[in-house]
Amino acid sequence: MDELMDDMYSEKSVFEEVHELIDELKVLAKSKEELTHTNAELKEKLRALKGQNEGLDVIIKRTKEEFEHEESRVEGYGSAIGDLQDKKERVIEEINRYKGNIKIVEEDLQNTVGVKNHLKDELSQVNDDKEIVVTKFNEIQNVLNSIERKKKHIMPKFSEYDVILKQVHKAFKEVESKVSLSKIMHNYHIN
C-alpha cells in the first residue's frame, strides 16, 4: 500500500514537472517568436542601410567626378585672367560646397559603418540567444522524453493495481452478500 502511495505521489510530481515544462515551452516559444520578429526587423534595417550606403557611394563618385571636372575647367582658364578670377571664385565656392558634401557623405558613411557594425553585433546576439533557446528547447524535449518513458514504466503498474482492486472489490461484495444472507437466515430462525 505504501508503494501505491509513493507511486501516486511520484506520478503527481511527474505531472507537476510536465506542467512546469509545458509552461517553460510556452515561454520559450514566445521568446523564439519575439527573437524571430526582431531578427526580421534587423535584417530589414540592414537591407535599408545597405541601400543607403550604395546611394551614398554613387553621390560620392558623382561629386568626385564633378570636383575633378571643375578642377580641369580651372586649369583651362589660363588665357582669360580677368574672367578667371570670377570663375575661380565660383569654382572655389562649388568646390567648397562639394567638399562640404563630401565631408557630410564621409560622416554619413562612418555613421553607416557604425550602425552596420552595431546591427552585426545585435544580429550576433540574436543568433546567440537563438542558440540558447534551441538548446533549452532540446533540454526540455529530452526531459519530456524521459517523462514519457517513466510514464510508460509506471502505467503497467497502475493496470496491475486496477486488477487487484477489482478482485478485492469483488471479494468484499461476496463477503457482504454472505453476511447479509447470514443475517437474514439468523433473523428467520429467531422468529
Side-chain angles (χ1 to χ4, degrees), residues 133-175:
V133 168
V134 168
T135 301
K136 190 70 171 174
F137 178 78
N138 289 337
E139 288 174 4
I140 290 172
Q141 188 65 40
N142 289 338
V143 170
L144 286 175
N145 290 339
S146 172
I147 291 171
E148 183 66 27
R149 287 191 299 274
K150 288 178 182 177
K151 178 183 165 188
K152 287 179 182 178
H153 178 72
I154 292 172
M155 289 311 287
K157 290 182 181 179
F158 284 123
S159 297
E160 292 173 19
Y161 295 151
D162 188 46
V163 169
I164 293 170
L165 285 173
K166 285 180 182 178
Q167 290 173 351
V168 169
H169 179 68
K170 183 178 176 182
F172 277 128
K173 284 294 184 182
E174 287 175 8
V175 169

Side-chain angles (χ1 to χ4, degrees), residues 62-86:
R62 188 174 44 202
T63 303
K64 284 183 179 179
E65 288 172 356
E66 288 175 354
F67 180 79
E68 291 170 0
H69 176 70
E70 289 301 321
E71 279 186 336
S72 67
R73 279 179 44 196
V74 168
E75 291 172 2
Y77 292 146
S79 61
I81 295 179
D83 292 337
L84 183 61
Q85 191 62 33
D86 294 337

Side-chain angles (χ1 to χ4, degrees), residues 1 26 32-33 40-41 44 54 57-58 60 62 80 83 85 92 95-96 103 106 115 121 127-128 134 136 148 191:
M1 191 66 175
K26 287 178 184 177
K32 179 182 177 185
E33 184 178 304
E41 287 178 350
E44 182 59 29
E54 291 172 2
D57 286 342
V58 169
I60 289 171
R62 188 174 44 202
D83 292 337
Q85 191 62 33
I92 288 173
I95 289 172
N96 288 337
K103 186 175 182 178
E106 286 175 346
V115 170
D121 292 343
N127 286 334
D128 292 345
V134 168
K136 190 70 171 174
E148 183 66 27
N191 292 332

